[in-house]
């Protein structure tokens, strides 16, 4: 076993029971604490994807989530489904593609499967159910609406015009929060526009608390509502005009003096009275002359001429009349009339007053001064407020006057002043809260993880490494020899090796480390046993050279013996 581990186990065995229990509790607390911190820092944030679902819709959503292996949680007795925040919109879009949730209402999908032989009565009922279901689904798209039920009454068709009745609708809403009047009116008009011949007056909207949110109004009530809406529209027009002018002036001043260094307020007086005028003016002398529009001439003249006597014939016999006797001539009257019609000047004018007429405009602007660094008597730097010069203030006032559209006839008012916006201490030490919030939002998790890792290293890993090193050092020290043993080992290491105990290779290397004089001297000092070992391990050619140098006659005899052995072979 590793000596370090053995030392750790020995140290643990030598501890008292109370210390062992305390150490175990401390280790468990550290593990639990860091595990909790890691889970908290890296936990998956779940967000509500669907809420207020029916059991059928919840089952369909869960089935789709299981098919896609998407983590999910069920809350609110199974009516609310939560998914990871990163995929909540993807889940909603995927479910919307499949037509989920259906909202517990039957829509036009009721006609997807038609049965043969269905009567017109059943088809009309299905059509009404489909319209009611689709309208209920549409209404629940409002965030304030939890559930909705729409009931439509369609009158029977009649051949008599006098007996024709219009349809009506009633809507029941279960709300998560109160609906604004505009949204309630929008729901009423939405339902009325989806059904033929239905008007908003025939729509009634109530909630589950029994409050009537919308009902048909009489002409007087509707006129009152219209007046209130008109007053609100006029107020909003005034506010928008003032805010627009304020933004224009303030943005221009801030580009000069710096951001958040200028404050502008605008007050306007407007005339919202509506006057429509139609005029027709007849003025014959407006154009300075007479204009003939038409002229009519009529002449009549009296003419006398003798009467012609007809010629008698068998067909037309002449019949004498006593009354015609004595009149020998006929008289004709000729008269003449001349009529003149003159054009009369006429001017038609229609004047409509605009929605709002600006009567007076008042603008107040405040700009911040300057701040200069000044060295005090003790040598410390501090900021001193310096107001702006009159020339600068005059320039600021001219800018405001021109940008606001100053009109002296309206008695417009302009005021531009210079004041310090904050104390020097606030200027020097005011932190940027928005910047800190932005950093926390973007890098909060990363910083938390880094702090956890650093704390884990400093409080757990580093002490463990240090303890292991100390135990290892202790084990190594215990494994080292005592001073007496170290001296003996040193003496043994420094003692020259025994030549007889070496093999041929070691003897050769040992002798090659010496010079020739040292080698010859070393060989002469060898005892007989060492010399025999040396000669035995010596290679053949070196051995021949050795004997040749020492005993020439013996060398010759050896050579003769080798030659004779070679001839016999």
């Amino acid at each position: 076993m590793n000596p370090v581990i053995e030392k750790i186990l020995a140290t643990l065995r030598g501890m008292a029971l109370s210390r062992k229990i305390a150490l175990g509790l401390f280790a468990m607390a550290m593990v639990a604490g860091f595990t909790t911190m890691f889970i908290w820092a890296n936990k998956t944030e779940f967000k509500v994807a669907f809420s207020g679902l029916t059991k059928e819709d919840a089952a369909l959503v869960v089935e789709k989530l299981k098919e896609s292996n998407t983590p999910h949680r069920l809350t609110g007795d199974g009516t609310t489904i939560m998914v990871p925040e990163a995929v909540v919109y993807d889940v909603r879009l995927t479910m919307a593609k499949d037509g989920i949730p259906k909202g517990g209402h039957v829509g036009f999908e009721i006609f997807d499967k038609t049965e043969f032989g269905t009567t017109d009565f059943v088809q009309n009922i299905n059509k009404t159910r489909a319209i009611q279901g689709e309208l209920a689904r549409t209404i629940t798209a409002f965030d304030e609406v939890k559930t909705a039920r729409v009931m439509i009454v369609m009158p029977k068709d009649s051949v008599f015009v006098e007996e024709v009745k219009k349809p009506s609708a009633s809507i029941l809403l279960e709300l998560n929060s109160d609906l604004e009047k505009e949204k309630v009116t929008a729901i009423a008009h939405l339902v009325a526009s989806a059904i033929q011949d239905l008007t908003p007056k025939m729509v009634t909207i109530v909630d589950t608390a029994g409050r009537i949110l919308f009902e048909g109004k009489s002409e007087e009530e509707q006129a009152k509502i219209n007046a209130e809406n008109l007053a609100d529209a006029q107020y909003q027009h005034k506010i928008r005009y003032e805010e627009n002018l304020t933004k224009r002036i303030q943005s221009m001043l801030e580009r000069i003096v710096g951001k958040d260094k200028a404050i502008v307020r605008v007050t306007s007086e407007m005339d919202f009275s509506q006057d429509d005028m139609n005029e027709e003016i007849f003025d014959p002398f407006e154009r300075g002359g007479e204009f003939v529009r038409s002229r009519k001439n009529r002449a009549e003249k009296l003419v006398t001429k003798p009467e012609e006597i007809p010629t008698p014939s068998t067909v037309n016999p002449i019949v004498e009349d006593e009354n015609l006797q004595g009149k020998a001539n006929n008289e004709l009257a000729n008269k003449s009339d001349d009529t003149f019609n003159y054009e009369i000047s006429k001017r038609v004018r229609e004047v409509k007053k605009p929605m709002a007429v600006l009567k007076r405009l008042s603008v107040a602007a405040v700009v911040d001064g300057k701040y200069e660094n000044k060295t005090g008597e003790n040598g410390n730097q501090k900021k001193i407020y310096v107001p702006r010069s009159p020339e600068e203030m005059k320039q600021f006032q001219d800018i405001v006057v021109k940008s606001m559209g100053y009109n002296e006839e309206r008695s417009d008012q302009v005021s531009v002043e210079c004041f310090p916006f904050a104390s020097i201490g606030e200027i020097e030490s005011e932190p940027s809260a928005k910047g800190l919030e932005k950093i926390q939002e973007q890098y909060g998790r990363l910083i938390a993880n880094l702090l956890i890792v650093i704390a884990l290293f400093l409080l757990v890993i580093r002490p463990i490494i240090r303890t292991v090193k100390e135990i290892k050092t202790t084990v190594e020290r215990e494994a080292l020899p005592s001073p007496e043993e170290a001296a003996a080992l040193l003496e043994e290491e420094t003692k020259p090796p025994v030549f007889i105990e070496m093999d041929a290779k070691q003897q050769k290397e040992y002798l090659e480390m010496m010079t020739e004089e040292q080698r010859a001297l070393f060989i002469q000092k060898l005892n007989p046993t060492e010399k025999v070992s040396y000669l035995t391990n010596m290679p053949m050619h070196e051995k021949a050279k050795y004997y040749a140098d020492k005993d020439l006659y013996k060398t010759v005899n050896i050579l003769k013996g080798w030659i004779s052995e070679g001839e016999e072979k």
Side-chain angles (χ1 to χ4, degrees), residues 487-506:
L489 291 173
L490 181 61
E491 183 180 356
E492 185 177 354
E493 290 177 356
T494 55
K495 184 179 180 180
V498 180
F499 189 76
I500 195 173
E501 296 178 356
M502 299 181 184
D503 56 9
K505 185 177 179 182
Q506 292 177 346

Side-chain angles (χ1 to χ4, degrees), residues 39-48 71 73 82-88 445:
I39 294 174
W40 172 80
N42 299 282
K43 67 178 180 180
T44 303
E45 294 290 340
F46 279 78
K47 187 177 180 181
V48 176
R73 294 178 182 174
M82 302 178 69
V83 297
E85 186 176 4
V87 298
V88 60
R445 289 181 176 271

